[in-house]
Amino acid sequence: MNYLFLDNGFEEIEAITVVDLLRRAGIPLTTVSVTGNPMVLGAHNVAVEADGLFENVNFDDAEMLILPGGQTKLDQHNGLCELLTQHNEADKLIAAICAAPSVLGKLGILKGKQATCYPGFEKFLNESYVGGLVVESKNIITAKGPGLASDFAFCIIEKIKGSDVADQVYDTAQY
């Protein structure tokens, strides 16, 4: 199972695009609220009902953990920070976009890896910051910002299901 974490203030395009495209690819994905409430309010007042609450989800089957950006406090959720650290120590997949790579930087997860983020958050990535639009480094995928939500999602799909599936979903998602 793959998990995408939602906190109030999340960037809607970064979360919903990833959910949509991963589910089109047949990748199991559960959205998880870290607010204690299943209804989570995005940065632009779009309310989204998460599939589950952090405190009620068993993450033993976690393949990838995904963090959308926005004005959230994901880095202040102790349970999520512990989960991310353990997941990284087990060399499992983690993806973060926009401001969310700063959470990984603050936890030391990016040490020895390359990453990108939304302008202004580079200081939290320290020596890991390399710029770029979407950066894959070891077990980590990062992306710069909202305009790259689909590129970010396709990188995740390719990592989990391979380039053939990513190409098929890309072809069917074009209008």
Side-chain angles (χ1 to χ4, degrees):
M1 182 58 69
N2 303 282
Y3 297 94
L4 184 140
F5 298 90
L6 297 172
D7 188 15
N8 290 318
F10 71 93
E11 279 288 345
E12 293 95 341
I13 193 171
E14 296 169 0
I16 301 304
T17 300
V18 172
V19 170
D20 181 323
L21 293 174
L22 267 63
R23 289 182 178 170
R24 287 178 192 234
I27 295 173
L29 179 69
T30 298
T31 57
V32 179
S33 169
V34 298
T35 69
N37 186 330
M39 291 304 291
V40 186
L41 191 61
H44 302 96
N45 296 317
V46 176
V48 173
E49 184 173 2
D51 299 319
L53 299 176
F54 186 90
E55 53 271 20
N56 297 335
V57 176
N58 180 337
F59 297 103
D60 290 345
D61 64 349
E63 183 177 355
M64 180 179 274
L65 307 177
I66 304 168
L67 306 177
Q71 297 179 0
T72 72
K73 295 181 174 103
L74 291 174
D75 62 334
Q76 296 176 22
H77 190 282
N78 293 333
L80 177 58
C81 290
E82 184 178 317
L83 178 65
L84 288 164
T85 301
Q86 292 171 351
H87 206 71
N88 182 61
E89 288 171 355
D91 204 32
K92 293 184 176 182
L93 301 172
I94 300 172
I97 184 171
C98 196
S102 67
V103 175
L104 307 181
K106 290 174 186 177
L107 293 171
I109 289 172
L110 297 177
K111 188 173 176 109
K113 299 169 187 162
Q114 297 180 331
T116 192
C117 63
Y118 192 77
F121 288 85
E122 304 90 347
K123 62 186 173 197
F124 300 109
L125 278 55
N126 300 312
E127 72 280 352
S128 298
Y129 180 75
V130 295
L133 302 178
V134 178
V135 175
E136 185 178 345
S137 182
K138 300 181 182 177
N139 64 316
I140 306 294
I141 297 170
T142 55
K144 187 173 181 178
L148 295 159
S150 59
D151 296 302
F152 178 64
F154 286 120
C155 186
I156 293 169
I157 293 167
E158 186 172 340
K159 188 73 172 174
I160 294 173
K161 286 257 187 148
S163 59
D164 287 345
V165 172
D167 290 344
Q168 288 172 357
V169 174
Y170 180 83
D171 290 342
T172 62
Q174 297 306 305
Y175 297 89

